[in-house]
């Protein structure tokens, strides 16, 4: 993945995880509504890893997230396997239910299974989200960024 985009996502996630950024009143980093997420698709750019730091998803690994707000669900590719989970979008909260995933093993790309495991664990930790244009950061209850995403082109 292009380093400039990833650095921008990491910087945005750090900013959004600080209380002052959301309180700036300029509309940046707003909590998404159900309407804003309806039928949207996102490419996962970075996943929380060791020590909670966001690390890039390898460019040759497809990890994505698609919302079906009307059905109350989210689904996509976790890297090696397909997954589906319930998704509850409230005024302030975004919570995913238990994740069901296929159980296919993949040897390529190297490290794909580890990224998938970190992604699924991060998805379970999501408590809320912040959107800034075509970027979204999913946050845990403590405000730590667990996933950084970019809106997928149709």
């Amino acid at each position: 993945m292009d380093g400039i985009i990833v650095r921008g996502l990491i910087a945005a996630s750090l900013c959004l995880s600080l209380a002052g950024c959301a309180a700036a009143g300029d509309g940046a980093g707003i909590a998404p509504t159900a309407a804003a997420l309806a039928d949207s698709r996102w490419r996962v750019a970075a996943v929380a890893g060791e020590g909670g730091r966001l690390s890039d998803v390898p460019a040759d690994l497809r990890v994505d997230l698609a919302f079906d707000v009307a059905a109350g669900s989210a689904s996509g590719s976790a890297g090696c396997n397909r997954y589906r989970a319930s998704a509850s979008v409230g005024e302030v909260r975004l919570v995913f239910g238990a994740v069901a995933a296929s159980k296919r093993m993949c040897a390529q790309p190297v490290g794909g299974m580890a990224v998938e495991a970190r992604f699924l664990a991060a998805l379970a930790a999501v408590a809320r989200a912040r959107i800034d244009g075509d970027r979204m950061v999913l946050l845990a209850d403590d405000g730590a960024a667990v996933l950084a995403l970019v809106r997928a082109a149709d």
Side-chain angles (χ1 to χ4, degrees):
M1 166 170 258
D2 183 60
I4 294 171
I5 292 173
V6 172
R7 282 193 298 274
L9 284 169
I10 292 171
S13 68
L14 291 174
C15 176
L16 292 173
S17 65
L18 298 173
C21 184
D26 61 2
I30 61 169
T33 64
L37 292 178
D39 300 322
S40 65
R41 293 184 318 115
W42 301 84
R43 180 177 45 85
V44 178
V47 180
E50 298 271 335
R53 286 188 24 227
L54 289 177
S55 59
D56 301 349
V57 171
D60 57 349
L61 188 65
R62 183 175 151 238
V63 182
D64 58 28
L65 173 63
F67 288 95
D68 183 344
V69 174
S73 67
S75 61
S77 173
C80 296
N81 291 287
R82 303 283 308 156
Y83 71 92
R84 176 172 293 282
S86 62
S88 176
V89 182
E91 281 187 37
V92 181
R93 310 255 323 148
L94 170 62
V95 179
F96 296 96
V99 176
S102 58
K103 301 290 184 196
R104 189 177 67 176
M105 179 71 159
C106 68
Q108 295 296 324
V110 173
M113 294 298 293
V115 171
E116 178 172 283
R118 288 194 342 255
F119 167 72
L120 294 173
L123 200 62
V126 171
R128 58 186 177 272
R130 295 282 179 229
I131 292 181
D132 185 7
D134 286 341
R135 296 179 179 162
M136 178 166 61
V137 178
L138 302 185
L139 307 163
D141 260 334
D142 64 1
V146 294
L147 293 167
L149 305 95
V150 178
R151 189 178 298 272
D154 288 329

